[in-house]
Amino acid sequence: MSHFRLARLCLLLAAVGLNTAPALMTSAHAQKGDAPAAAPSNNVRPELYKLLDPAQLQPLIASKNAAELQNRVTQAEAIPNKTPYEAYVVNRAKMVQASLAGNDAGVAAAAEEVLKSGFEPKDSQPKLVLAIADIQYKAKNYPATVEQLKRYEAMGGDMTTARPLLVRAQYLSKDYASAKPQLVQIISEAEKAGKAPSQEDLKLLLSAANETKDTAVYESTVQKLVTYYPSDEMWGEIIRVGVIKKPGFDQNNFMPVLRLYFGTMKTLREEDYVDLAETALRDGFPTEAKNALDAGYAAGVLGKGANAKAHNALRVRADKGAADDAKNIAAGEASATKSKTGAGLVNLGWAYATMGQYDKGIGFIQQGIAKGGLKQPDEAKLRLGAAQAKAGRKDDAIKTFESVKAGGGLSDVARIWVMTLKQPAGAATASTAPAAGK
């Protein structure tokens, strides 16, 4: 980020004509050898004109002969009693020479003199200030960069191009409070134009919001990063700030969070794969546990390191349980149907969904929700929505998730599921599957 610049300095200087020889006018009476009391304000004396004659300077500039140009500038500077306009012309030539020599500090110093002279045309003055700002940024003098860009803005300069430089200078000066609204504006303008904000701008805003403890802007920025540049890191972060760290989250609802992790992220942490598998086994869903462990092994996260033996033992349990469940699941349909509450039907349907039998699973979960008597009807809806999403019934899944209103984190989990389903085509980085394999 620290190497961000508006454009190459030579292009900025070209915008104000500083890569060409200065346009000069000579005094008519000076050419005749007269000695006037005061030279006309916008003329130069013959001896100065001879040194800075555009016809002679242009070949030097074209051939990048900085040494000869420096020789002429040095002689021009030595001429005594220069008029303000003559000093202005010399400083303009000094900018050209400094630019050719790669002397950014010299360009900035001469530019300041040019601006102070009062002879520089008004339309090119902001461009000169912008060039000075760019030079200060390159020199990592970020407070000076901010000062010059504020000066540029006050002169009526177009901030559309300059604002990204301003916000980076503010950020690198650790003025996060000033950088934040500028970044919000940049991102908003991009979105209004139908464009995706840059990932760098979004990450800068995320950092600035974190530094200023602005939780609202932080969460909204994570959502934008998930939308435009989805990644495991950002999915994990939106779940962290939008569910787990949100006031009112109930730790008893952590299983829906684990299922959300598994449905949105390509690769989970070791502990998340293990927690998901162990909880699924405890709750009577060995195939869900097997799916999580299989994914963890395939990702190279499980089966190695200090916990490899424990991973392998857990996998043996899950594999055996899944095999037994596949043989016996149909036998449980009658008892689940006869039960006084819909809990058995919901669990049966979820078990079928984890086995990849989505339509059958969806039907049983719907029957269970309709039968009622559930401790957490909205948790059952989360499982129904996940099964519908995996079955490719996107609109049904969104409708189901949007019907989840319970607190304790359940409605927040549902909201993020909806985000995954509304991802632009090709943007999603992970399957929207429940724990049914990836």
Side-chain angles (χ1 to χ4, degrees):
M1 181 184 67
S2 61
H3 297 296
F4 177 89
R5 300 187 72 191
L6 289 169
R8 292 181 62 188
L9 182 61
C10 61
L11 298 179
L12 290 172
L13 296 178
V16 288
L18 298 184
N19 61 348
T20 59
L24 306 179
M25 294 177 61
T26 59
S27 164
H29 48 264
Q31 287 177 315
K32 295 176 181 178
D34 298 334
S41 61
N42 286 3
N43 291 337
V44 298
R45 284 169 283 176
E47 56 267 37
L48 184 58
Y49 186 91
K50 181 179 179 181
L51 291 168
L52 303 182
D53 179 1
Q56 296 184 45
L57 294 192
Q58 288 288 6
L60 298 177
I61 295 170
S63 62
K64 298 183 180 181
N65 190 341
E68 177 56 25
L69 187 54
Q70 176 65 71
N71 178 47
R72 288 172 176 264
V73 168
T74 300
Q75 293 182 62
E77 285 188 294
I79 294 176
N81 303 317
K82 286 188 286 293
T83 67
Y85 181 74
E86 288 175 331
Y88 160 70
V89 168
V90 172
N91 279 312
R92 252 186 161 255
K94 285 176 69 176
M95 281 194 291
V96 178
Q97 192 283 328
S99 177
L100 285 179
N103 178 6
D104 288 354
V107 173
E112 285 290 3
E113 294 300 318
V114 167
L115 287 164
K116 285 191 289 186
S117 73
F119 292 105
E120 186 68 16
K122 286 187 177 180
D123 63 343
S124 63
Q125 289 179 24
K127 297 171 186 175
L128 262 184
V129 173
L130 192 58
I132 296 172
D134 187 63
I135 289 168
Q136 296 290 4
Y137 187 86
K138 182 183 177 184
K140 298 184 179 181
N141 190 343
Y142 304 120
T145 306
V146 172
E147 180 183 352
Q148 292 298 333
L149 289 171
K150 291 292 185 182
R151 179 184 180 191
Y152 171 76
E153 185 175 24
M155 295 170 75
D158 180 8
M159 292 301 292
T160 303
T161 302
R163 188 169 284 109
L165 189 66
L166 172 62
V167 77
R168 283 157 177 77
Q170 290 171 327
Y171 181 90
L172 291 166
S173 298
K174 297 187 178 182
D175 185 2
Y176 307 114
S178 295
K180 187 171 63 176
Q182 297 280 357
L183 283 161
V184 168
Q185 184 172 347
I186 291 170
I187 291 164
S188 176
E189 287 173 353
E191 291 181 317
K192 286 178 181 177
K195 301 176 181 177
S198 79
Q199 188 173 20
E200 183 180 358
D201 285 336
L202 287 167
K203 286 189 173 182
L204 283 176
L205 179 56
L206 190 69
S207 179
N210 182 58
E211 293 288 349
T212 56
K213 303 187 186 305
D214 190 333
T215 55
V217 170
Y218 186 89
E219 184 173 352
S220 68
T221 306
V222 174
Q223 290 179 5
K224 290 182 188 297
L225 278 162
V226 162
T227 298
Y228 296 112
Y229 306 99
S231 66
D232 280 358
E233 178 188 8
M234 286 300 106
W235 279 120
E237 189 65 3
I238 194 61
I239 294 169
R240 186 185 73 83
V241 301
V243 182
I244 300 171
K245 293 298 182 181
K246 202 167 182 180
F249 176 69
D250 186 346
Q251 288 291 334
N252 292 321
N253 292 329
F254 204 77
M255 186 56 168
V257 173
L258 290 171
R259 287 171 175 151
L260 181 59
Y261 278 145
F262 195 59
T264 56
M265 299 167 64
K266 286 182 177 179
T267 305
L268 275 59
R269 299 176 302 172
E270 174 189 344
E271 57 266 39
D272 293 331
Y273 284 121
V274 171
D275 285 349
L276 177 54
E278 289 181 337
T279 307
L281 281 171
R282 181 200 68 191
D283 292 347
F285 302 112
T287 306
E288 181 174 25
K290 173 179 167 55
N291 293 334
L293 293 169
D294 286 349
Y297 274 85
V301 175
L302 302 181
K304 61 183 182 181
N307 297 321
K309 187 175 180 179
H311 298 160
N312 292 335
L314 185 60
R315 193 178 198 186
V316 168
R317 286 176 54 204
D319 286 348
K320 183 179 184 305
D324 291 342
D325 215 22
K327 293 177 184 178
N328 302 321
I329 189 169
E333 292 182 15
S335 61
T337 302
K338 293 176 182 178
S339 177
K340 292 182 180 179
T341 73
L345 288 167
V346 170
N347 289 336
L348 180 67
W350 182 245
Y352 272 122
T354 64
M355 294 176 185
Q357 299 184 50
Y358 302 111
D359 290 340
K360 195 169 187 178
I362 289 167
F364 280 120
I365 296 173
Q366 288 174 327
Q367 289 177 45
I369 292 172
K371 194 169 189 177
L374 304 175
K375 291 182 179 179
Q376 285 190 303
D378 277 8
E379 191 277 332
K381 290 180 182 178
L382 288 176
R383 286 192 264 173
L384 173 61
Q388 289 169 326
K390 186 60 180 177
R393 293 161 59 172
K394 179 178 175 180
D395 292 341
D396 289 340
I398 290 174
K399 185 176 180 181
T400 297
F401 286 130
E402 288 179 341
S403 72
V404 175
K405 305 298 181 184
L410 296 183
S411 62
D412 295 315
V413 168
R415 175 174 53 84
I416 296 174
W417 272 116
V418 171
M419 288 176 60
T420 71
L421 294 168
K422 291 185 175 180
Q423 282 290 100
T429 59
S431 166
T432 54
K438 296 193 174 188

